[in-house]
Structures are given as C-alpha cells and as structure tokens.
Amino acid sequence: MDDSLPLLVAVPLLGAALLVAGGRLVPRPVAETVGCAVSAGTAALALVLLLNCSPPFLEWAGGWTPVDGQSVGIVLTGDGPGLGMAALASLLTLAALAYSWHYFDEPPRGHAGSFPALLLLFQGGMCGFAIAGDLFNAFVWFELMSVVAYALTGHRVEEARAVQGALTFAVVTSLGAYAMLMGIGLLYARTGELGMHRIGRGLDAHGRPDALVLAAFVLVMTGLLVKAAAVPFHFWLPDAHAVAPTPVCMLLSGVMVELGAFGVWRVYGTVFSGPGGVPAPEFERALVALGALTAVIGAVMCWYQRHIKRLLAYSTVAHTGLFLIGIGVLKPEADDGIALYVLGHAGVKAALFACTGILLDRYGSVDEHALHGRARELKGVAVLFVLGALGLAGLPPFGTALGKSVTEEAVGGPLTVLYVAASAVTAAAVLRVAARVFGGLGPRPEVGSGYETTGSGERPETRHRLSRVPDTMTAVPAVLLAGAVTVGVAPGFAKVVAHSVNETGSAGVFTSVHWTPDGVLLGLVSTVLAGVLAFLAVMRPKPFAAPERALPLRRLQSGHVGDYVAWVLVGTTVLGALTLPGMLGG
Amino acid sequence: MDVFPYLVAGWVFLAGCYGLATSRNLIHAVGCLSVCQAGTYVLLLTVGYRDGATAPVFSDLKPGSRPVVDPVVQALTLTDVVVGATVTALLLALVVQISKRHGTVDPDELSELRG
C-alpha cells in the first residue's frame, strides 16, 4: 500500500507507450485486449487503494520527503475523493474501451493501438489530476488530460466538423490552463511553496488576503471552471461533444468535466479556505451565482437542441451548474450529496451517450427530427435510453436521485427549486427524444430556424452501418445504468462515500447520508415534471419549440473561437467582481 | 520588489488574448495562444529572479558562496515550454487539417457548429 500511489499514473502511461510501440505489429484484438487489461488493472488498483485510504495518506514521489518541513518533491494525495475520482475515471475508461471493442473504426489504418493508447493516456492524465497534491503537478496533469482530449475529439481527422470542434476546445481550454499557471506563479511568489497544503498555510501565515491572493484565486479558478464548463466558460463543451467519437463523449461528460468541479473543491478547500485566503461568503457568492447561471442556461439550451449529442452535452452543462452550487454552499452534507450525484451522473450520462452512439452507427444520424420513428425496432436500446432519462431526472432509487436529494436538503430554499427544475428540464428533453426517435410519437417536427446544428448526415463511427447492434454496445450502457442504481441502493455505500468525503473536506464534521421522505418526494416530482413536459412537447411541438426570443441565446454559441475567448475573459472579470467586495470591506 | 516585470507579464498575456479574440486567421490565433503562454514564462522567471544572483549551477560554484536565482521556477518554466510545444504542434496539425477539409483558415467562415 505504501508506495503504489504513483502506479495509478504510471501503469496507464506504460500501457499507452506499449500500445504505441507495438500497435503496428499486433492484430486489433490483441491491442484492444491489452488496452482493456491495463485500464482494468488500474481501476482495480484504484479501488484497492480507495478501500485502504482511511485515514488519508500522502506520498512523496521518488522518495523526496520533506527535510525540516521544506520540500521540493512531488506530493500525491491518497484520500477518498481523489482516489474515488481516479477509480471512476478508470472504470469509465474501461467502459469506453469495451464499448468501442472491435466495432469502432480507427482512422490510422493498420495501427490498431492508437485509439486504446490515447484512451489510456487520457486515463493516466485524469488519475494524475485526481491525486495531485501540489498545484503545479495538477497543472501538468490538467494539460496532459486536455491535450489527449483534444486529440481524441479530433480523432476522426477526415471530418470537417471534428477538427473544428477540437480546435475550439483546444484553444479555450489551453487559455484557461495558462491562466491557471499564472495564478500558480503568483501563489509561489507569495509563499514559495507548490504543495497545496503548504501554500494554504503560507497564505494564512502572511495574514489578511490582498490583491495578489484575489488575482491568484481568480486565475486558478478560471482554469478549473473552463474545464468544468461553467457559464460563460462553457462554449467549447457542446462543440467538442457534438464532434467527438462516442466513447470519448462518455469520458468527457462522465468524468472529465466533473474533474474540473472536483479541482475547484480541492483547491478552495486546501489552498484558499484559511484566514489568508478567500473568505467563505465571497466564494459562496461567486460559485452559487455562476452555478445557478450555468444550470439555467444549460437546461434552456438543452431543451432547444435537436442534435442529440449536443443535447446531452448541454445537459452536462446544466448538471455541472448543480455540482458547482453544491460545492459553493460549503456544507459537509452538500459535499456528500455532490459526490454521490457525480457518481450517479457519470453512469447515467455515459449510458445515454452509448445509446446515442448506437443510433449514430445504425442510422448515420443523431438528428432528433430526421430520426423520427426510425428506431422503433431497437426495443432494448429504447428501454436503456428511457431509463437513462429517468436517472437524469432523479427518479429514486438512482444514485443521481440520492445525491440530488441530499444536496437539495443542504442548500435549501429557492436553490432546491432550481435543482428540481434543471434536472426535470434536461430529463424532459431526453424523454422527448426517446418518444420521438424510439416511439415515433407525435407529429413529425418541422424544419427549424436554420441557426442550429442539426446532426443529420453524420458519418457512423463503425466501419459499416450496423445491421445488428453488437452485444458489447448494449451491454456497456446496461452495466453503467446498473452502476448508477447501485450507487443509490447499495446498503452502506452512501455512508462510505460521505465518510471519506468528510474525512478530507469538512474539518471533522461527519454527516450521515440516507434516503429521506422529502428527498424521494422531490425526486418523484422532478420525474413527473419531466414526463409531463416531454409529453406536451411531443404532442404539441409548436408552443414548445424555440421561440424567437431564444435566438440571442443561440447566437452566443456561434462556433467562433474568438467569441469564446472573449467570453472567457468576461467570465474571469465576473469572477473577480463577485469575489472582490468582501476583500475590500472586511 | 520591482512591479514592472509583473505588469509586463500581464500585458503580454492580455495582448495574446486580444489577438485570439480578434484573429482572422487560425495560424495567427495559434501564435497568439503562444504569446499568452509567453506571459506565463515572464511571470515565472520574474518570481524566481534575484538581484545580482547567478544561475543555480553548482559545478564551479561553492554552495552558499553567492546568491543564486530560484531553480524551481526555472524547472517550472521548462516544463511549461514542453507543454506549450506539444499544444502548439497539435494545434497547428489541427489547423492544417481544417485548411484541408474546409478550404479556409478564417474562423469567421467556420460556422458549422452553432446554435
């Protein structure tokens, strides 16, 4: 147990190197088996470490332990939340590899190892970011994760839209990463430390926060919030999700975006939460405001999409907003709830993307309108898709419902309404798609305004259009949904998650997490609301279609990289403005 | 502490951002992203700079005999350069591919993904 933490990063990296070196020589099944074996091994290691991480432990990579409290070594943190995210990332990578098993078409012909190798690199980056205990390494893993994600998004280089989406993603996220590095530089200038705990203590020793602390906070948070796709940093996400291959979407939406939110939680909790950092009310105001805006805009834009992958991408934006609110209120119960919510959401969202991938590979389209009634014969996939939608709405006993209800009770007041509304609207959009595509219900929708990405005429990701859906492609979403349910129903699981989150995060306050009557009721309310909305939208498309006044909101998503960069700068300024007042006054 | 180099770092970063936001050519945009990153180099090196100090190479220097600049930020800058090289290479490759598929490198004409 003692020094196996770096293996979480080293194993996938070595596996990727092996696949890149030997991928040309071996046949495809061998390369894919190696990929699955490596990611499964890493997942197993992460789970074993996770079970043994109470109390949390630190590890100095390469044995560079501190001397007299001074260290230049790289510190890795083995605590519940970090190892939990690493395990989630590993398991989803395994799911993505299994999903693409044998059927996924690889563009570099005769190089069977390239796609699994990239996925393993991605896994290594995500695991590294999750367990990074010092800020500069967090930045390096952040960049590794991002660069691999750009490459994976543009993996089908022959497609015009794929490279365009990848470039937008790359420019916006890299800019965020450089802003984060600026912030890290400022923190190092103040404290002379890179380890998160030691930076936090250094800031506290310096006394009251000043302009430098504020600037560092805003810059570091900009990088993390770009990753987490908070409004107005979110514009890259729908474009990237619309063009990325399906297994990659599963990872991007299932865990990478959540890692941004996790980074916000980790960095605030260890670096800025002391008396020398950013005061709690300021952090709360900034994060709850941005989170609420994110949830509203994500849900509204989700409702107006007809490109199914973009629709799911906006639903991820909306849910990230909910995660950020939960992190922002700084309550131990909300942290527990968000941890469960993230786990449940990963299973549900990845399953929904997997089902969409089946549609794409069979019908060559992900356009809700063009697919109207065409997927009637896919009964099994229809069931999985509807179950995914219900999980998104927060129907008990899904893990999403448990996490959502715990968070709702913690945040209280009008924010509870936002939780119910955002999850209901995003789930209703997915149910609407299910009813139209798999059921052929309602009148055939008319052609839209034209200012939108339709999703018809996409190329399937398999070599040929599927005549029969392979078992792996239906088994993966089924397993993922089963996992999402398990999070909610497994006895004691929620308590273990809550315990490990509180052990690291909430300064000794332990809370108990369980289903409550109110929580179940709220989950049912949002599910019923989603069902009603979806029914009305399918039966009476006219009043529920995008109205003229929604057009300005759509126009913001212009696909122009310069606009997105400008919005990142606006977002940074807003973040600074939201945090500034308390720094001046108190 | 002299505040001037910090202002330069911020200025370079913002100049890169301005270029990114108004760019009419993707190759120019990738260059602007590198300019943003140059701002981070300036900042890191400024943080580690000490007046009258020498490079932290101890082959012909007795440790403690004279001040040296902070080697940590130099290591960080080197890592940053490596990261930047990777990102720039990948971005330029994507631009080449965009030029092939769309026949243009003007972001104003790439409007397929919207709404």
Side-chain angles (χ1 to χ4, degrees), chain A residues 55-93:
Chain A
F57 58 100
L58 290 180
E59 191 168 323
W60 296 90
W64 287 81
T65 44
V67 179
D68 303 330
Q70 299 285 323
S71 173
V72 292
I74 294 171
V75 64
L76 303 172
T77 318
D79 59 7
L83 286 169
M85 287 308 277
L88 180 66
S90 303
L91 289 173
L92 270 189
T93 310

Side-chain angles (χ1 to χ4, degrees), chain A residues 298-322:
Chain A
V300 170
M301 287 297 283
C302 174
W303 180 256
Y304 291 143
Q305 296 301 309
R306 57 190 279 197
H307 186 298
I308 304 175
K309 278 187 173 179
R310 275 175 95 84
L311 185 149
L312 292 174
Y314 274 114
S315 130
T316 303
V317 173
H319 281 90
T320 316
L322 301 183

Side-chain angles (χ1 to χ4, degrees), chain B residues 32-89:
Chain B
C32 289
L33 192 64
S34 300
V35 170
C36 286
Q37 202 181 12
T40 65
Y41 303 152
V42 174
L43 178 83
L44 285 174
L45 292 179
T46 309
V47 167
Y49 180 78
R50 288 175 71 186
D51 275 332
T54 183
V57 180
F58 291 103
S59 57
D60 55 352
L61 190 69
K62 209 166 133 271
S65 59
R66 55 173 300 190
V68 294
V69 297
D70 188 344
V72 173
V73 284
Q74 302 198 347
L76 300 192
T77 311
L78 265 180
T79 317
D80 191 15
V81 169
V82 175
V83 167
T86 323
V87 173
T88 309

Side-chain angles (χ1 to χ4, degrees), chain A residues 99 347-348 351-356 358 378-392 398 430-431 434 438 469 471-482:
Chain A
Y99 181 80
V348 169
L352 283 170
F353 269 113
C355 293
T356 310
I358 295 176
L378 295 177
K379 297 273 187 303
V381 181
V383 171
L384 292 174
F385 204 79
V386 171
L387 280 177
L390 296 177
L392 215 53
F398 274 97
V430 179
L431 278 176
F438 294 102
V469 181
D471 293 335
T472 44
M473 286 174 86
T474 43
V476 166
V479 169
L480 288 168
L481 285 173

Side-chain angles (χ1 to χ4, degrees), chain A residues 22-112:
Chain A
R24 224 178 274 278
L25 310 173
V26 296
R28 194 161 167 196
V30 177
E32 290 183 342
T33 313
V34 171
C36 284
V38 172
S39 68
T42 317
L45 178 68
L47 289 173
V48 169
L49 286 169
L50 186 59
L51 294 176
N52 292 294
C53 73
S54 183
F57 58 100
L58 290 180
E59 191 168 323
W60 296 90
W64 287 81
T65 44
V67 179
D68 303 330
Q70 299 285 323
S71 173
V72 292
I74 294 171
V75 64
L76 303 172
T77 318
D79 59 7
L83 286 169
M85 287 308 277
L88 180 66
S90 303
L91 289 173
L92 270 189
T93 310
L94 182 59
L97 279 167
Y99 181 80
S100 54
W101 178 263
H102 199 64
Y103 285 89
F104 187 67
D105 191 24
E106 89 266 59
R109 306 268 166 214
H111 205 303

Side-chain angles (χ1 to χ4, degrees), chain A residues 525-537:
Chain A
V525 165
S526 75
T527 314
V528 170
L529 209 58
V532 171
L533 261 176
F535 179 78
L536 287 176

Side-chain angles (χ1 to χ4, degrees), chain A residues 157-158 160 181 188 453 560, chain B residues 70 80 97 101-102 108 114:
Chain A
V157 287
E158 304 300 318
L181 183 63
Y188 182 80
T453 308
H560 190 297
Chain B
D70 188 344
D80 191 15
Q97 202 61 26
R101 297 293 145 206
H102 292 269
D108 295 349
R114 59 186 190 181

